[in-house]
Amino acid sequence: MGKGGGCVPSKKRSVESPDQDPPNPERDGPVPAQERAPPAAAEVTAPVTENNAQTTKKLRIFIIFYSMYGHVELLARRIKKGVDSIDGLEGVLYRVPETLTSEVLEQMRVPQKDDEVPVISAEKLVEADGLLFGFPTRYGCMAAQMKAFFDSTGGLWREQRLAGVPAGFFVSTGTQGGGQETTAWTAITQLAHHGMLYVPIGYTFGAGMFKMDSIRGGSPYGAGVFSGDGTREPSTTELALAEHQGKYMASIVKRFAIPC
């Protein structure tokens, strides 16, 4: 990913200096073959074939989440759809490690996790061009599983290996006043200590951010879903907002990655 303020192309310079006479073939004579300038690049460039074609590596946004009953995971998958829709970008799903025992999870009737989504380690974070973290709320803050994952990034923090990486959040709460904004707001401290660049979505979702005709999660801080008693499914608007966040984050990461 590109760092700093980007690249500034140099101005075109004249081939001939103003204080020199133009070349005169009759006066100067023919130029020896070994001193002639090589032909233009377009004339010597070999045609692109299947053997010498170079594939452009996609920028990757890691979508890292903890989802107990599946609500956050549904947002994560829709965010990935948004990221993947932007040319040159790819969303990659990861789970954070579980901290509860299987016995406790069974008593809480937590469904089995999909093995298709791998568990991420802290060291893997440095491979991402952008990061989106999703988690349910616990009294207005991130769930303990996500906090434990952030606590495992101390080695990266000491070397500031995540400094300058764009990052954002998406959340799930049980009620309307359960922390759609504060859950993301209190998580910003994790990014600040790492020097990451917090990317909220603001009101870029447009009119959908202002409609009051239905219940929906999400805020200027990021996408969100109301889980209620655990049986409520994300609404069409909540899923659309999640997809928008994926697209928006991808556009920001792409802007930061302008090659030099």
Side-chain angles (χ1 to χ4, degrees), residues 183-236:
T183 303
W185 181 36
T186 55
I188 294 174
T189 58
Q190 314 297 312
L191 307 188
H193 281 262
H194 276 286
M196 288 188 272
L197 306 179
Y198 175 48
V199 182
I201 60 173
Y203 284 84
T204 58
F205 191 48
M209 297 291 290
F210 297 92
K211 289 182 178 180
M212 302 288 289
D213 55 349
S214 63
I215 297 175
R216 68 155 180 85
S219 72
Y221 293 90
V225 60
F226 291 126
S227 62
D229 61 0
T231 61
R232 180 183 183 272
E233 296 291 331
S235 69
T236 301

Side-chain angles (χ1 to χ4, degrees), residues 3-199:
K3 305 289 185 183
C7 305
V8 179
S10 59
K11 297 181 180 178
K12 292 183 179 180
R13 298 177 179 175
S14 175
V15 176
E16 301 173 2
S17 301
D19 57 348
Q20 291 181 347
D21 294 330
N24 186 333
E26 295 182 0
R27 180 192 62 198
D28 301 330
V31 179
Q34 63 270 25
E35 295 181 13
R36 294 174 187 169
E43 299 176 4
V44 298
T45 301
V48 177
T49 65
E50 186 175 344
N51 293 331
N52 66 9
Q54 294 183 352
T55 57
T56 303
K57 184 179 179 181
K58 289 187 175 182
L59 298 170
R60 295 190 298 169
I61 295 177
F62 287 3
I63 306 164
I64 304 163
F65 65 91
Y66 176 74
S67 186
M68 180 170 281
Y69 294 104
H71 294 82
V72 177
E73 181 170 350
L74 288 173
L75 293 186
R77 292 183 179 276
R78 195 60 177 262
I79 287 174
K80 172 176 166 55
K81 181 180 178 181
V83 173
D84 292 344
S85 70
I86 303 301
D87 185 51
L89 273 293
E90 176 186 12
V92 186
L93 295 174
Y94 287 105
R95 298 182 190 277
V96 299
E98 179 60 79
T99 59
L100 298 176
T101 65
S102 57
E103 291 78 14
V104 170
L105 294 173
E106 185 176 350
Q107 291 178 15
M108 296 177 68
R109 299 180 182 179
V110 175
Q112 291 289 328
K113 301 296 187 293
D114 187 355
D115 293 335
E116 173 189 332
V117 180
V119 175
I120 192 170
S121 62
E123 292 73 19
K124 190 79 173 175
L125 293 176
V126 299
E127 300 178 13
D129 299 289
L131 298 165
L132 283 170
F133 299 96
F135 37 81
T137 188
R138 298 293 185 264
Y139 301 115
C141 300
M142 67 174 65
Q145 288 85 350
M146 183 60 72
K147 183 60 170 67
F149 176 73
F150 272 110
D151 288 347
S152 71
T153 62
L156 303 179
W157 165 76
R158 281 191 293 271
E159 299 179 7
Q160 287 291 283
R161 298 185 66 191
L162 298 179
V165 178
F169 305 115
F170 55 102
V171 303
S172 170
T173 67
T175 63
Q176 294 186 56
Q180 287 285 315
E181 293 187 350
T182 62
T183 303
W185 181 36
T186 55
I188 294 174
T189 58
Q190 314 297 312
L191 307 188
H193 281 262
H194 276 286
M196 288 188 272
L197 306 179
Y198 175 48
V199 182

